[in-house]
Amino acid sequence: MPFQLTVSPDFTPDHISGWYIFNTWLQKALDEGVHLELYNNFNDQRSAIQSDQVDLIYANPYDAAMLVREKGFLPVARPGGVADEAIIAVRDDSSTQVVEDLSSGIRIAATDDPDVNLMCAIMLEPAELNAENTQREEKESYPLVAKAVIQGQVDLGFFLAEAFNSLSGVTRKQLRPLVTSQIHIIHHALLVGPKLAHRQQQLSELLAGMSEDPKGSGVLQSLGFDSWVKVEEEEMEFMIDLMDTLTYQPA
């Protein structure tokens, strides 16, 4: 029975082939059967996690807490020089220039990406906007969020910065970033589950050495990464604590 690898559903579509290439590389490196299973949304992926169907996951920061603290996953590596940031964007011709120009009742298009939605919600706080005085429309992908903003179906959209920058030039020209997060220390990470915990150190070393290997370097390029960097458990705990702090809302 092969181990199962999955990827946070917020990865950009142009890197789908890259994850299949990475999966092939991983099987050869570990000399183990590994099956890549991609889920269309976070709910389906979390159901698989709760059913113990996932052994390796490239996880978003928000889900990392659940994976580490509830399911016993361990950190392996994160992309070098890459941090998760979020963008709130409006249509290019919008009269809105700063967040404080926004008022209650605005319509928002967003995916079900939890860390992006959290960061964007925090960036709306200066306008005293929250879930109770805004309207949220959930879209299946960031291109659909962009479409909703451009067509005037909503007032603004929530984007993962990487996804926004991966939109076509024609699409980006019709949008204008209103505000961008600058947290810098939140990132996706590859985590290993209990069944592969004994290979954690080996995996960290293999991934850290990919950029020095011609074949490994090509695999990294297909993922849009420059390198993998080992993640220590203390670093992962710090990020989880930060996400908990950002999520906390006082009564």
Side-chain angles (χ1 to χ4, degrees):
M1 188 74 174
F3 294 105
Q4 181 165 301
L5 164 69
T6 191
V7 180
S8 180
D10 56 8
F11 69 93
T12 52
D14 53 342
H15 290 141
I16 290 177
S17 61
W19 284 106
Y20 280 99
I21 294 169
F22 174 76
N23 186 67
T24 299
W25 177 90
L26 188 64
Q27 291 185 84
K28 293 179 180 178
L30 290 178
D31 192 25
E32 295 274 11
V34 182
H35 169 70
L36 175 63
E37 185 71 30
L38 301 178
Y39 296 93
N40 292 325
N41 55 64
F42 285 95
N43 285 336
D44 289 348
Q45 186 178 81
R46 287 176 190 140
S47 294
I49 292 168
Q50 293 300 333
S51 301
D52 297 324
Q53 298 175 28
V54 174
D55 303 301
L56 281 161
I57 179 170
Y58 182 64
N60 71 83
Y62 190 93
D63 285 340
M66 175 268 291
L67 287 158
V68 171
R69 293 180 175 171
E70 296 179 21
K71 303 301 290 185
F73 278 68
L74 300 173
V76 175
R78 61 174 175 82
V82 178
D84 283 11
E85 301 293 354
I87 290 175
I88 296 177
V90 295
R91 203 163 75 170
D92 185 57
D93 60 0
S94 171
S95 61
T96 302
Q97 298 300 315
V98 293
V99 167
E100 288 79 1
D101 290 339
L102 299 169
S103 57
S104 62
I106 61 167
R107 300 160 299 166
I108 301 168
T111 68
D112 63 347
D113 194 334
D115 56 319
V116 171
N117 293 341
L118 173 61
M119 288 187 280
C120 288
I122 291 170
M123 291 191 289
L124 288 180
E125 289 180 353
E128 298 184 354
L129 297 174
N130 53 53
E132 295 181 358
N133 60 10
T134 59
Q135 301 175 48
R136 184 82 63 89
E137 295 185 14
E138 187 171 298
K139 304 296 181 181
E140 292 185 358
S141 67
Y142 287 111
L144 290 178
V145 171
K147 182 179 179 181
V149 176
I150 292 168
Q151 293 184 347
Q153 299 170 12
V154 296
D155 301 296
L156 55 85
F158 289 174
F159 296 88
L160 181 67
E162 180 186 2
F164 182 89
N165 294 327
S166 296
L167 295 171
S168 70
V170 172
T171 298
R172 287 201 311 275
K173 285 181 180 179
Q174 299 177 76
L175 298 168
R176 173 165 47 85
L178 187 65
V179 60
T180 302
S181 69
Q182 297 181 342
I183 300 176
H184 304 306
I185 56 174
I186 294 176
H187 50 73
H188 281 54
L190 188 71
L191 308 177
V192 61
K195 295 177 187 175
L196 275 173
H198 63 291
R199 309 290 293 269
Q200 177 196 20
Q201 184 64 32
Q202 180 191 12
L203 272 168
S204 294
E205 294 173 358
L206 286 169
L207 295 180
M210 284 185 73
S211 60
E212 305 301 322
D213 175 72
K215 289 185 178 180
S217 180
V219 175
L220 287 169
Q221 187 175 4
S222 71
L223 293 173
F225 300 163
D226 293 327
S227 64
W228 286 103
V229 177
K230 183 178 180 179
V231 177
E232 301 291 347
E233 291 186 29
E234 294 81 2
E235 180 185 354
M236 179 60 63
E237 285 295 332
F238 177 80
M239 188 180 73
I240 291 172
D241 288 342
L242 176 60
M243 294 301 296
D244 286 346
T245 301
L246 295 176
T247 304
Y248 173 70
Q249 296 293 330

